[in-house]
Amino acid sequence: MLSNTLSIYRNEDERMMYEYMAKGMINQYGKKNGICLEIGTGPGYLGLQLIRQSDMSIYMIDLKADALEKAKKNAELLGIKDKINLIQADVADEGFY
Protein backbone atom coordinates (compact mmCIF):
# COMPACT_ATOMS: atom_id res chain seq x y z
CA MET A 1 0.00 0.00 0.00
CA LEU A 2 2.96 2.35 0.48
CA SER A 3 3.47 2.65 -3.27
CA ASN A 4 -0.18 3.74 -3.69
CA THR A 5 0.18 6.17 -0.81
CA LEU A 6 3.29 7.75 -2.27
CA SER A 7 1.86 7.86 -5.78
CA ILE A 8 -0.79 10.46 -4.91
CA TYR A 9 1.89 12.84 -3.59
CA ARG A 10 4.62 14.60 -5.51
CA ASN A 11 7.32 13.22 -3.21
CA GLU A 12 7.94 11.47 0.10
CA ASP A 13 8.37 14.75 2.01
CA GLU A 14 4.90 15.90 0.96
CA ARG A 15 3.38 12.57 2.04
CA MET A 16 5.09 12.76 5.41
CA MET A 17 3.98 16.37 5.92
CA TYR A 18 0.28 15.56 5.44
CA GLU A 19 0.58 12.40 7.52
CA TYR A 20 2.15 14.44 10.33
CA MET A 21 -0.46 17.22 10.03
CA ALA A 22 -3.32 14.74 10.31
CA LYS A 23 -1.72 13.00 13.30
CA GLY A 24 -1.14 16.37 14.98
CA MET A 25 -4.76 17.43 14.49
CA ILE A 26 -6.06 14.16 15.90
CA ASN A 27 -3.75 14.41 18.90
CA GLN A 28 -4.36 18.12 19.53
CA TYR A 29 -8.13 17.84 19.51
CA GLY A 30 -8.34 14.31 20.92
CA LYS A 31 -10.82 13.23 18.26
CA LYS A 32 -10.63 9.99 16.33
CA ASN A 33 -14.30 9.86 15.41
CA GLY A 34 -17.07 12.27 14.55
CA ILE A 35 -17.37 14.63 11.61
CA CYS A 36 -14.68 16.79 10.02
CA LEU A 37 -15.16 19.38 7.30
CA GLU A 38 -12.16 19.94 5.06
CA ILE A 39 -12.85 23.27 3.36
CA GLY A 40 -10.83 23.89 0.22
CA THR A 41 -9.92 20.23 -0.12
CA GLY A 42 -7.98 20.48 -3.36
CA PRO A 43 -6.55 17.03 -4.11
CA GLY A 44 -7.66 15.84 -0.66
CA TYR A 45 -4.26 15.14 0.86
CA LEU A 46 -5.16 16.16 4.42
CA GLY A 47 -8.65 14.69 4.44
CA LEU A 48 -7.42 11.39 3.05
CA GLN A 49 -4.77 11.16 5.76
CA LEU A 50 -7.42 11.89 8.40
CA ILE A 51 -9.53 9.05 7.01
CA ARG A 52 -6.57 6.68 7.12
CA GLN A 53 -5.70 7.60 10.72
CA SER A 54 -9.15 7.85 12.29
CA ASP A 55 -12.76 6.77 12.18
CA MET A 56 -13.99 10.27 11.31
CA SER A 57 -16.48 11.00 8.58
CA ILE A 58 -14.69 13.53 6.37
CA TYR A 59 -16.66 15.93 4.22
CA MET A 60 -14.33 17.28 1.56
CA ILE A 61 -15.63 20.61 0.27
CA ASP A 62 -14.28 22.56 -2.68
CA LEU A 63 -15.60 25.13 -5.11
CA LYS A 64 -13.92 23.47 -8.08
CA ALA A 65 -15.18 20.25 -9.62
CA ASP A 66 -11.73 19.34 -10.94
CA ALA A 67 -10.28 19.52 -7.41
CA LEU A 68 -12.96 17.15 -6.12
CA GLU A 69 -12.34 14.81 -9.06
CA LYS A 70 -8.64 14.69 -8.14
CA ALA A 71 -9.54 13.97 -4.48
CA LYS A 72 -11.84 11.17 -5.65
CA LYS A 73 -9.11 9.64 -7.82
CA ASN A 74 -6.63 9.85 -4.94
CA ALA A 75 -9.13 8.12 -2.65
CA GLU A 76 -9.56 5.39 -5.27
CA LEU A 77 -5.79 4.88 -5.43
CA LEU A 78 -5.71 4.52 -1.64
CA GLY A 79 -8.68 2.13 -1.63
CA ILE A 80 -10.82 4.42 0.54
CA LYS A 81 -13.23 5.91 -2.03
CA ASP A 82 -16.23 4.56 -0.10
CA LYS A 83 -15.20 6.59 2.95
CA ILE A 84 -15.16 10.07 1.38
CA ASN A 85 -17.97 12.58 1.07
CA LEU A 86 -17.40 15.14 -1.69
CA ILE A 87 -19.32 18.40 -1.78
CA GLN A 88 -18.95 21.04 -4.47
CA ALA A 89 -19.93 24.32 -2.84
CA ASP A 90 -18.90 27.86 -2.06
CA VAL A 91 -18.77 28.01 1.74
CA ALA A 92 -18.86 31.81 1.55
CA ASP A 93 -22.28 31.62 -0.08
CA GLU A 94 -25.13 32.43 2.30
CA GLY A 95 -27.04 29.35 1.17
CA PHE A 96 -24.23 27.00 2.19
CA TYR A 97 -25.16 26.86 5.84
Side-chain angles (χ1 to χ4, degrees):
M1 180 95 112
L2 180 58
S3 61
N4 283 351
T5 301
L6 183 56
S7 68
I8 72 168
Y9 301 98
R10 291 176 285 200
N11 56 54
E12 178 67 7
D13 290 339
E14 187 175 68
R15 182 198 63 80
M16 289 173 55
M17 178 185 71
Y18 282 101
E19 188 176 284
Y20 180 77
M21 287 171 57
K23 184 177 183 178
M25 290 173 66
I26 291 167
N27 289 338
Q28 181 175 353
Y29 297 106
K31 300 285 184 185
K32 285 200 82 156
N33 54 34
I35 296 173
C36 177
L37 302 178
E38 182 187 23
I39 299 171
T41 198
Y45 297 151
L46 181 58
L48 295 173
Q49 280 293 336
L50 286 167
I51 289 169
R52 296 185 75 193
Q53 296 182 39
S54 73
D55 293 320
M56 283 190 255
S57 294
I58 309 293
Y59 289 83
M60 304 167 96
I61 304 165
D62 205 291
L63 183 60
K64 298 180 180 180
D66 58 334
L68 293 171
E69 186 60 33
K70 179 68 174 168
K72 180 180 175 182
K73 286 180 182 178
N74 286 337
E76 288 171 353
L77 282 170
L78 296 175
I80 56 176
K81 184 182 130 199
D82 59 327
K83 295 183 179 184
I84 63 171
N85 303 286
L86 301 172
I87 301 170
Q88 183 178 358
D90 183 350
V91 296
D93 183 10
E94 261 184 60
F96 177 75
Y97 47 91

